[in-house]
Amino acid sequence: MKRKSKLNSIITCKCPRCRQGNLFKEKNPWSYRTMLSMPDNCPVCNQDFKIEPGFYIGALWTSYPIVVVVGIILFVLLSSILNLSFFPVAFIIAISLIVLQPPIMRWGRSIWIGITVKYDEEFEKNN
Ligand SMILES: [Zn+2]
């Protein structure tokens, strides 16, 4: 199996230790009830996903910058390229961020656990 890069495993929400197991139970981030439900452990390498109580509160620190970056990109695109005025731009950004909230929250968690849990090359060799 080809090894995934760290960035690839974060974007695709894979376990940071083995880069194979899914962090989330449901593939579709827009399924409202299950968008943040995660298994207790990685289905592939058994890495603990609930590292400590409230662990993912820290993911606010990693999802917030994504929101800011997406907002800035949309602002530049809409105001300079499409030449829209402030209120339509603000409205489109607000709607876009609401629609993008589920994947952004997932990426925030994926980055957060990716910072905490190191990739285990040995795991891949031994399995
Ligand atoms: Zn794993």
Side-chain angles (χ1 to χ4, degrees), residues 15 17-18 20-22 41-47 49 123 127:
C15 165
R17 182 163 173 252
C18 64
Q20 292 169 37
N22 290 321
N41 299 84
C42 174
V44 176
C45 73
N46 210 32
Q47 164 66 42
F49 285 167
F123 175 80
N127 288 275

Side-chain angles (χ1 to χ4, degrees), residues 15-95:
C15 165
R17 182 163 173 252
C18 64
R19 296 184 181 168
Q20 292 169 37
N22 290 321
L23 281 177
F24 297 95
K25 289 177 183 169
E26 177 72 46
K27 268 201 174 359
N28 175 13
W30 285 279
S31 91
Y32 183 73
R33 280 169 183 275
T34 55
M35 65 185 178
L36 289 179
S37 66
M38 304 169 74
D40 290 337
N41 299 84
C42 174
V44 176
C45 73
N46 210 32
Q47 164 66 42
D48 184 9
F49 285 167
K50 311 254 150 122
I51 292 171
E52 57 186 26
F55 174 72
Y56 291 102
I57 293 170
L60 289 173
W61 292 103
T62 47
S63 57
Y64 179 68
I66 302 174
V67 170
V68 172
V69 168
V70 170
I72 290 171
I73 291 170
L74 285 174
F75 182 80
V76 169
L77 285 177
L78 295 169
S79 58
S80 65
I81 295 171
L82 296 179
N83 217 7
L84 294 174
S85 59
F86 179 77
F87 285 106
V89 168
F91 180 75
I92 294 170
I93 289 175
I95 297 293

Side-chain angles (χ1 to χ4, degrees), residues 29-30 35 66-67 70-71 74 92-107:
W30 285 279
M35 65 185 178
I66 302 174
V67 170
V70 170
L74 285 174
I92 294 170
I93 289 175
I95 297 293
S96 305
L97 288 177
I98 290 168
V99 171
L100 290 174
Q101 189 63 22
I104 288 174
M105 287 197 302
R106 282 188 170 197
W107 287 324

Side-chain angles (χ1 to χ4, degrees), residues 102-127:
I104 288 174
M105 287 197 302
R106 282 188 170 197
W107 287 324
R109 287 189 173 206
S110 187
I111 294 168
W112 189 244
I113 195 170
I115 292 169
T116 313
V117 177
K118 293 283 162 267
Y119 177 57
D120 184 359
E121 244 172 288
E122 296 304 311
F123 175 80
E124 202 166 26
K125 281 182 204 151
N126 300 334
N127 288 275

